[in-house]
Amino acid sequence: MKEKQLTRAEEEVMKILWDLEKSNVSGIVECFPEPKPKYNTVSTIVRILESKGFVGHEKKGKGHLYYPLIKKSDYSNQSLNKLMDGYFQGSFKSMVSFFMKKNDISIQELESILEQIKKGKE
């Protein structure tokens, strides 16, 4: 698993690629909301993602189709662990407590979250 973090722009492109599963640069550009970024900008970001090991490509005619090499769930887990380690000294309890206070989570919502966690571990 890559330990590299993505910039905000790189993450936006990856989110689109995770949804599309495979696309050329034009297809990625089309998925952006208005105002859409320039083709060359997206193309550069895709090449950076490829050099970081997040994206692969296959030749399609004169162009390329790009696809994610890393699952969205793997990247999400890595990002969450980095957040937990960096801001909460690796303590899941501290992180949950912080989000409860900041987001005013009800007891019912917390119980629902805990129930989902239990199901995930089974």
Side-chain angles (χ1 to χ4, degrees):
M1 173 59 158
K2 309 286 181 265
E3 282 303 315
K4 297 175 181 148
Q5 284 297 110
L6 299 176
T7 65
R8 177 181 242 152
E10 292 166 351
E11 206 166 271
E12 287 177 12
V13 170
M14 282 305 298
K15 285 178 182 175
I16 290 170
L17 260 181
W18 280 318
D19 287 343
L20 295 176
E21 296 178 7
K22 196 178 277 190
S23 179
N24 60 16
V25 173
S26 296
I28 296 169
V29 171
E30 282 306 306
C31 290
F32 273 91
E34 293 292 345
K36 295 186 184 306
K38 295 193 179 331
Y39 178 96
N40 287 343
T41 303
V42 174
S43 179
T44 299
I45 292 169
V46 169
R47 284 195 305 276
I48 291 168
L49 287 166
E50 199 167 14
S51 72
K52 287 184 171 184
F54 281 85
V55 170
H57 77 269
E58 62 185 45
K59 200 119 174 80
K60 177 80 173 188
K62 292 182 179 182
H64 293 96
L65 284 179
Y66 297 94
Y67 53 89
L69 293 173
I70 292 175
K71 290 185 215 159
K72 186 177 185 178
S73 59
D74 291 343
Y75 181 73
S76 298
N77 287 340
Q78 175 203 328
S79 297
L80 185 59
N81 287 336
K82 195 165 192 145
L83 173 75
M84 196 164 61
D85 291 344
Y87 293 97
F88 303 102
Q89 295 72 46
S91 168
F92 181 72
K93 183 178 177 182
S94 294
M95 187 173 73
V96 170
S97 176
F98 171 82
F99 284 110
M100 279 186 64
K101 290 174 188 165
K102 290 293 177 195
N103 295 304
D104 195 27
I105 294 175
S106 71
I107 297 292
Q108 291 82 7
E109 289 171 307
L110 181 59
E111 286 175 347
S112 173
I113 291 167
L114 291 172
E115 199 58 42
Q116 289 175 347
I117 291 170
K118 281 182 194 173
K119 286 179 184 174
K121 287 186 175 185
E122 292 173 354

